[in-house]
Amino acid sequence: MACLEIAGGRPLYGELTVQGSKNAALPILAACILGDGPCRIENCPRIQDVEDTVSILKMLGCRVERTGQTVSVDASRMEKDSIDGPEAIRIRSSVLFLGALLGRMGKATLPHPGGCAIGSRPIDLHLKALQKLGVRFDMQENAHSDAHNLTAGVFHGKICARADHLHGGSVTLAMPSVGATENAILAAVCADGVTVIHRAAMEPEVEELCDFLRARGARISREEDRSIRIHGVKTLSPVRHRLRADRIVAGSYLLAAASCGGCVCIRNLPSGQLDALYAVLRGMGVVIDADGTVRADLPLKAAEEVVTAPYPGFPTDLQSPLMAALCTAGGESRIRETVFENRFLTAVQLRNMGARIEIKGETARIEGVARLHGAAVNAPDLRGGAALVQAALAAAGRTTIYGYEYIARGYEDICRDYRALGAEIHLMENNSSEG
Ligand code: EPZ
């Protein structure tokens, strides 16, 4: 298994361009099966979740080619309506093929994507939304599920869905779930009639999916009350789309620049998508220029309380990187995680590096220490792994991070990016150094 070796304790200086957005790429690649002809997705990051999605598209009979950072998807000859295999279970976003397959084929069979370290990740909101559009979930075929479990959205086995007549409807989400919003959009764009999604998620990746679909001829609008209105259309045309910068990767690197001190410029910082993070960083004494340059002198100031929330609130995906930065801030900080029920796993690993963190329910209390020290640690999940890299870069001494495969799910080449900022970081494949 691959691991990272990091020699920490130095400030970061330099410039870099962050990769295309993982969480926009995944729903947009699934949306490529709606309609025929080659869609070209540019600036598509080379990350495991994208490669797994490409495998699923090929499994469905799509013609998929990657040339550099461009992935071309042609669904003209697609005829399958079911997916299985390890990729469909490994990535949570495979559930987005539910809405896309229903939109194209009127039926879908796929494995329940399952939970992961950060939470049970039910799909009840997805199922309820799709039922409003005429979708039926065949109980008999889900041998291991009963009515309660299916409604709860946490069950094993396969999701078997069909819609004899996929029609518009009024959907009200109990909470602004990103995935449930995207699934409803994917099923509604070619449904018969008008769909309104109330309490829809507002994450930039949802907006980018809508931009992609509008460019293909879909009729989608965001209403004043944050609802999304969709008039179903008969067909969608092929289109070329360039993915915007990944705001979570950008935010991770900004927090690393703050943790290590120094001066870092992110050339393609997504404008207006990280305002909640900027406000927290400025409160910690970090200077952020309009051109995306970050300057930080250590120690950082503590953050009284940061609460994660759906967009435009503080993003849950940057909660672990923020925790890593606060480990060496001057004073006591608190973070309240309100989106996922089990997203403080990184704290255990940070304590191995000398951090003082106490977890009580959904609140983490971090008492700043002068400096963390190197250690051998294990990445608990994707963003927790990125947070450990950040902590290791700031810590005194050497750190080994096991579980690189988690980080590779979302970061195209974290070694390349941090080396561009002067860091000493190496990927060790099976105990031999690479790069
Ligand atoms: C998306 O996951 C992102 N993934 C996540 O990023 C991100 O953390 C999350 O949105 C929140 O912003 C992708 O876009 C591929 P949700 P998603 O549905 O859609 C509960 C990363 O690191 N819920 O908004 O799965 C759920 O359990 C990943 O890139 C239900 O209860 O998130 C969670 O507590 C991690 N029932 C909360 O809602 C449902 O039917 C938010 O989930 C659906 C969700």
Side-chain angles (χ1 to χ4, degrees):
M1 302 293 273
C3 65
L4 291 170
E5 291 281 352
I6 296 165
R10 290 185 288 189
L12 298 178
Y13 289 96
E15 290 193 6
L16 86 157
T17 299
V18 297
Q19 68 194 55
S21 167
K22 164 177 94 74
N23 290 350
L26 302 178
I28 285 172
L29 286 169
C32 288
I33 71 171
L34 292 169
D36 292 342
C39 286
R40 289 185 176 74
I41 313 303
E42 299 174 345
N43 196 28
C44 199
R46 289 176 177 275
I47 54 178
Q48 191 56 49
D49 277 16
V50 165
E51 300 319 312
D52 285 344
T53 303
V54 165
S55 302
I56 292 171
L57 288 167
K58 288 179 178 172
M59 197 190 294
L60 290 170
C62 298
R63 216 175 113 218
V64 188
E65 289 167 4
R66 178 186 269 273
T67 312
Q69 296 301 101
T70 298
V71 173
S72 167
V73 182
D74 188 340
S76 306
R77 294 196 179 80
M78 178 186 141
E79 70 273 344
K80 282 190 69 180
D81 56 30
S82 69
I83 57 176
D84 53 23
E87 300 87 349
I89 295 171
R90 184 163 52 219
I91 59 170
R92 160 83 184 173
S93 55
S94 61
V95 73
L96 297 174
F97 280 94
L98 187 53
L101 281 169
L102 285 161
R104 179 184 175 106
M105 312 292 281
K107 60 186 297 196
T109 302
L110 64 157
H112 184 285
C116 60
I118 63 177
S120 61
R121 307 192 77 176
I123 59 169
D124 54 318
L125 302 181
H126 299 237
L127 305 180
K128 285 173 192 150
L130 293 171
Q131 283 168 330
K132 292 285 187 185
L133 308 185
V135 179
R136 212 164 31 80
F137 294 93
D138 189 328
M139 298 286 283
Q140 283 71 34
E141 292 179 55
N142 296 312
H144 307 293
S145 307
D146 56 40
H148 167 72
N149 275 352
L150 187 64
T151 311
V154 181
F155 62 95
H156 300 290
K158 283 189 181 301
I159 305 167
C160 301
R162 65 181 312 120
D164 298 330
H165 172 222
L166 196 62
H167 56 71
S170 173
V171 172
T172 299
L173 294 174
M175 54 170 300
S177 153
V178 173
T181 302
E182 292 169 340
N183 245 335
I185 291 168
L186 292 168
V189 280
C190 297
D192 180 11
V194 177
T195 296
V196 181
I197 307 169
H198 299 283
R199 298 198 69 198
M202 296 176 72
E203 270 68 4
E205 297 76 29
V206 174
E207 295 309 312
E208 187 165 358
L209 171 64
C210 292
D211 289 344
F212 170 72
L213 290 166
R214 273 193 284 265
R216 299 187 64 192
R219 294 178 58 197
I220 307 175
S221 58
R222 174 75 75 170
E223 310 288 288
E224 286 305 309
D225 62 355
R226 79 181 279 173
S227 62
I228 292 175
R229 179 179 293 270
I230 300 167
H231 291 254
V233 295
K234 287 273 173 274
T235 56
L236 294 175
S237 310
V239 75
R240 184 186 291 263
H241 177 83
R242 180 174 178 77
L243 289 170
R244 295 170 198 146
D246 189 311
R247 65 187 172 104
I248 302 301
V249 170
S252 307
Y253 293 161
L254 289 181
L255 281 157
S259 302
C260 297
C263 180
V264 166
C265 177
I266 295 182
R267 296 187 200 97
N268 59 333
L269 211 53
S271 61
Q273 294 184 359
L274 286 169
D275 292 351
L277 171 65
Y278 291 176
V280 170
L281 284 173
R282 289 188 172 115
M284 293 165 65
V286 177
V287 176
I288 304 179
D289 297 343
D291 69 349
T293 300
V294 168
R295 290 179 183 78
D297 295 321
L298 302 181
L300 299 170
K301 292 179 188 151
E304 194 173 328
E305 182 176 63
V306 179
V307 183
T308 66
Y311 195 86
F314 189 91
T316 174
D317 292 348
L318 291 177
Q319 180 258 104
S320 298
L322 174 64
M323 179 184 281
L326 291 171
C327 286
T328 52
E332 182 177 296
S333 305
R334 288 175 192 276
I335 298 176
R336 200 147 59 82
E337 170 58 64
T338 70
V339 178
F340 285 102
E341 72 267 26
N342 193 31
R343 206 167 194 177
F344 283 141
L345 296 174
T346 315
V348 173
Q349 305 300 319
L350 290 168
R351 286 190 196 114
N352 294 341
M353 300 175 73
R356 290 203 196 125
I357 305 169
E358 182 188 276
I359 306 292
K360 271 193 183 159
E362 62 179 27
T363 298
R365 188 175 65 81
I366 304 118
E367 190 187 325
V369 296
R371 175 154 264 186
L372 297 182
H373 58 72
V377 291
N378 295 294
D381 54 61
L382 163 55
R383 305 302 175 184
L388 291 173
V389 173
Q390 177 191 319
L393 291 169
R398 302 186 74 84
T399 299
T400 302
I401 302 175
Y402 297 97
Y404 176 73
E405 62 278 7
Y406 283 110
I407 299 169
R409 284 191 46 215
Y411 293 77
E412 188 172 64
D413 189 337
I414 205 163
C415 292
R416 172 200 65 197
D417 292 346
Y418 278 127
R419 278 203 209 108
L421 303 177
E424 189 183 329
I425 177 172
H426 299 281
L427 177 62
M428 312 286 282
E429 298 271 11
N430 307 322
N431 299 325
S432 62
S433 175
E434 180 213 61

